[in-house]
Amino acid sequence: MRSSAGPRHARRPVPTLLRSVYLPRSMDAGAFAMTTYGIPLLVLATTHSAALTGVAFALEWVPRLGAFALAGAMVDRHGTTRVLRTASALRATVVVAAALALPQMDAGLPTTVTVMLLAALTGVLTEFSYIAAETAGGIASREAGERAHRVQSVLLGIDQVGTLAGPALAGLLLECTGAAGMLATIAVFSLLACALAPRQYATKTELPQPVLAGLRTGWTTLRSLPALGWLVCGLTLSNLAIGLLQAAAPVIVVQQFGHSSADVGLIWSVAAVASLITVAVCRRAIDRFGLWPVGALSGTVAASACLAVSLTHTYTAYLVLIAVLMAGEGGMTVVLRTLRSHLIPQQVFGATLSLTILLLLLPFPLAGVLVATVPPALLGHVITICAAVQALGLCLAFLRLRTLPALHARLA
């Protein structure tokens, strides 16, 4: 995508991006992945309850959704540095406190309450740090101009490396060292993110907006960008299926397939490898074919794999299909991030980014509720229904994008 006016800012050299964007993003991505995938495993290991595992997954995501609007407003008001440092330091404090408290507790209600509270608190703090890191990456993409998709590919690759190492490391540490080792590692990543937090990329508005006003600003901006709106709509429906698979994975792999917590982490690590390969391919494919064809193909792959997942009954097939699904999801995410970085005005980037991520993550707590309420034997049927919804949503979204004549040249 080429602007007639050219990039507003000079491009930052790679070493500057490495220190100011990529390194802190890497540390936060490691903490993010270990928290997201490790806490439900910790709940299942301590409570042995599929229902409580689903509740914990929901408790991770419900506070995150509430935090997004506030996080976006705080980033716009105070800049990325302060928000990332504060959220990372508080997350380290919370997990260290839990690591010290859990060994002193007997199994039962105190332990259950502690791990559930841990899920909620880490969920909130993780989203504050994520919004700050994502905003810094969005501004770096804007400064890159027509090479924005390359910056976004690196950022997505960092996220996927975190997803590659995080779940497997969390499961392995939980198996070998218990909760203390896993939580201590999350604290280390959080402290490194705090220490390496970028020192620039403030996006302060002249008149800081209240949270609700920020949501209204984000909604108004999203409505004015039909391409971004349709893509967010399709990916929101897709995330219901993906969230359900994430929430149900500990129950399906451990209780139905009879595998270990480390095997649950292995699934998402293999999926991250597939997604990393896809991101590398998509970067070159977008250069040659454009955003729309790459996004449409990625959506087709993701929907097909998700439908097949609902029909499998073996661990190996489950692992392979999840990897294919997340590969397709990785391609769509590159398209979303590239489009988002180009279309959202910089002065409202934080508020609009927060709203889009809020919409994309709304299905995740619903997925936790489904796992908590649906008997494990019926989870396959629910996954099938959600996969059908995903396929329909992505089909409509990309068909609508294709028929927007004003945006055809930009998406083609």
Side-chain angles (χ1 to χ4, degrees):
M1 187 183 306
R2 187 179 298 275
S3 171
S4 58
R8 180 177 298 180
H9 304 284
R11 292 179 185 170
R12 293 176 176 266
V14 172
T16 301
L17 285 176
L18 177 65
R19 171 61 185 87
S20 64
V21 178
Y22 297 153
L23 279 178
R25 179 62 168 264
S26 298
M27 298 303 103
D28 187 66
F32 185 105
M34 290 193 68
T35 299
T36 300
Y37 296 96
I39 299 300
L41 286 173
L42 175 61
V43 172
L44 185 63
T46 55
T47 67
H48 307 288
S49 169
L52 288 177
T53 302
V55 171
F57 190 86
L59 283 176
E60 269 195 308
W61 287 103
V62 170
R64 290 185 183 192
L65 300 183
F68 269 117
L70 179 59
M74 296 299 288
V75 168
D76 284 340
R77 187 175 306 168
H78 300 293
T80 59
T81 302
R82 185 179 301 178
V83 174
L84 181 56
R85 284 179 175 168
T86 302
S88 298
L90 289 175
R91 179 174 56 201
T93 302
V94 168
V95 295
V96 167
L100 295 174
L102 284 173
Q104 311 303 322
M105 296 179 179
D106 296 328
L109 182 61
T111 297
T112 300
V113 171
T114 299
V115 293
M116 292 298 184
L117 186 60
L118 177 65
L121 290 176
T122 54
V124 171
L125 296 170
T126 293
E127 292 314 316
F128 269 86
S129 66
Y130 175 78
I131 286 291
E134 183 74 355
T135 301
I139 298 173
S141 296
R142 185 184 301 278
E143 293 182 352
E146 64 191 30
R147 297 170 62 89
H149 66 279
R150 294 184 177 271
V151 176
Q152 288 296 329
S153 295
V154 174
L155 294 175
L156 183 57
I158 289 171
D159 289 345
Q160 294 303 324
V161 169
T163 305
L164 187 160
L169 183 59
L172 185 62
L173 288 172
L174 192 60
E175 288 283 329
C176 298
T177 66
M182 186 188 77
L183 295 175
T185 305
I186 293 174
V188 169
F189 278 115
S190 298
L191 291 174
L192 287 172
C194 178
L196 296 171
R199 298 177 182 178
Q200 298 179 354
Y201 294 111
T203 59
K204 298 178 182 180
T205 55
E206 295 182 3
L207 294 174
Q209 300 184 78
V211 172
L212 292 179
L215 283 176
R216 286 194 296 269
T217 299
W219 179 250
T220 300
T221 305
L222 187 61
R223 289 183 62 188
S224 70
L225 303 171
L228 185 60
W230 276 101
L231 188 56
V232 168
C233 181
L235 289 178
T236 298
L237 295 176
S238 176
N239 279 353
L240 178 60
I242 292 174
L244 182 60
L245 289 172
Q246 287 186 7
V251 178
I252 292 174
V253 174
V254 175
Q255 294 190 344
Q256 296 186 11
F257 293 159
H259 285 250
S260 68
S261 296
D263 290 326
V264 179
L266 178 63
I267 287 178
W268 300 112
S269 295
V270 171
V273 172
S275 187
L276 272 172
I277 295 172
T278 302
V279 168
V281 172
C282 283
R283 185 174 66 179
R284 297 183 179 277
I286 290 173
D287 284 337
R288 182 171 182 179
F289 301 108
L291 285 172
W292 189 88
V294 173
L297 178 60
S298 298
T300 301
V301 170
S304 302
C306 192
L307 286 168
V309 165
S310 64
L311 303 177
T312 189
H313 301 288
T314 66
Y315 174 81
T316 301
Y318 190 83
L319 182 151
V320 170
L321 290 171
I322 290 291
V324 174
L325 166 63
M326 297 311 293
E329 181 71 9
M332 290 190 291
T333 304
V334 172
V335 172
L336 170 66
R337 290 185 174 191
T338 303
L339 198 62
R340 189 170 61 194
S341 66
H342 277 295
L343 296 182
I344 300 176
Q346 181 173 352
Q347 63 271 21
V348 293
F349 190 90
T352 310
L353 172 67
S354 296
L355 179 68
T356 59
I357 298 177
L358 175 64
L359 294 174
L360 289 171
L361 296 184
L362 279 174
F364 283 85
L366 176 58
V369 172
L370 288 174
V371 173
T373 56
V374 173
L378 299 179
L379 280 176
H381 299 294
V382 178
I383 292 173
T384 301
I385 294 172
C386 290
V389 171
Q390 176 196 43
L392 179 62
L394 291 176
C395 180
L396 291 176
F398 282 105
L399 285 176
R400 180 56 179 157
L401 286 177
R402 188 61 170 172
T403 60
L404 289 173
L407 295 166
H408 178 75
R410 183 170 289 192
L411 291 169

